[in-house]
Amino acid sequence: MIRIAPSILSADFSNLAADVKRVENAGADLLHIDVMDGNFVPNITIGPGVIASLKDKTRLPFDVHLMIMEPERYIENFVKAGADIISVHVETCMHLSRTISLIKEYGVKAAVALNPATSLSTLDYVLQDLDMVLLMTVNPGFGGQSFINSMINKIASLKKIIDEKKLIMDIEVDGGINSDNISSVINAGANVIVSGSAIFKSKDIKGTIERFRTAG
């Protein structure tokens, strides 16, 4: 089943609760929350306080994407803020397996994110421990970037590995997803679709979400 996770990076931060409610009412499945520290990526967004303030404003599960250095130091804070899924970047974790275990100890789902240039081989020894892999299809840091077309092959390669190992997990993609590439992304094997601008800037959010969900 294809699930749609609007990214609040493209929401109106002066009207955030209302924007979140809009995508919930339009049929979104998850809320994708990008946390950036201005160190690992060249942007700063929000922290646990803002996430906690949204928790009672929506029924959507919180898919929290930590684009930060030393994420293991902050896992507890984001769990307490309301995260249901936490993604950490392989590029930022010196002890990746330990960080995954820490996330799971708090009873939330664990995911690992990979930048476009990062090889799938970095997942060789942790894949079986994950609930989801997040493949970045732009270089992270800012919304509204163009999709990197070569990532279609990477999605397909990950799907093949997961199937060969007979694992059950989600493949999430994030970056530049729109009506022009959504079918290719889904057909390659992705089943959780992150989209910011294409959803929040749409004049018909419900229609956009439904077209994305049925695009494969």
Side-chain angles (χ1 to χ4, degrees):
M1 182 179 74
I2 305 302
R3 291 182 290 160
I4 308 300
S7 169
I8 66 168
L9 193 61
S10 297
D12 178 357
F13 273 66
S14 68
N15 202 27
L16 191 52
D19 261 11
V20 168
K21 193 51 116 176
R22 277 203 305 149
V23 295
E24 178 184 339
N25 292 339
D29 302 288
L30 304 163
L31 192 68
H32 190 80
I33 302 172
D34 289 309
V35 177
M36 305 181 190
D37 64 0
N39 190 359
F40 174 57
V41 292
N43 197 3
I44 298 174
T45 53
I46 62 173
V50 174
I51 295 172
S53 73
L54 288 174
K55 194 61 180 176
D56 65 351
K57 305 296 192 299
T58 178
R59 297 186 302 273
L60 292 175
F62 283 9
D63 172 23
V64 178
H65 177 192
L66 299 183
M67 287 178 268
I68 63 176
M69 299 301 295
E70 299 183 277
E72 63 278 1
R73 295 177 55 194
Y74 307 100
I75 299 299
E76 182 177 5
N77 293 339
F78 285 103
V79 171
K80 289 180 176 178
D84 298 286
I85 306 167
I86 293 179
S87 299
V88 296
H89 270 262
V90 66
E91 300 91 354
T92 68
C93 291
M94 184 174 294
H95 304 290
L96 182 58
S97 183
R98 185 185 302 170
T99 303
I100 293 165
S101 296
L102 178 62
I103 295 169
K104 292 196 156 191
E105 284 172 11
Y106 284 108
V108 302
K109 292 184 176 181
V112 167
L114 275 65
N115 282 346
T118 301
S119 172
L120 293 175
S121 65
T122 58
L123 300 175
D124 283 352
Y125 299 103
V126 299
L127 196 61
Q128 70 281 355
D129 301 321
L130 299 176
D131 298 293
M132 184 171 75
V133 175
L134 167 55
L135 296 181
M136 296 301 299
T137 46
V138 299
N139 289 300
F142 295 95
Q145 296 186 69
S146 297
F147 182 86
I148 299 172
N149 289 321
S150 60
M151 292 300 101
I152 294 294
N153 291 335
K154 191 174 185 180
I155 298 167
S157 296
L158 176 59
K159 175 63 172 172
K160 182 179 179 182
I161 292 167
I162 289 171
D163 288 347
E164 287 175 348
K165 292 180 178 291
K166 296 181 170 56
L167 300 174
I168 298 174
M169 69 176 60
D170 292 316
I171 298 177
E172 182 174 46
V173 292
D174 179 7
I177 308 296
N178 56 39
S179 57
D180 294 330
N181 54 42
I182 181 69
S183 293
S184 297
V185 167
I186 290 174
N187 290 334
N191 70 309
V192 181
I193 307 299
V194 177
S195 182
S197 302
I199 290 177
F200 279 102
K201 309 304 182 189
S202 172
K203 294 180 180 179
D204 178 14
I205 292 178
K206 184 175 183 179
T208 299
I209 288 174
E210 190 54 33
R211 284 193 296 275
F212 277 15
R213 187 179 285 116
T214 58

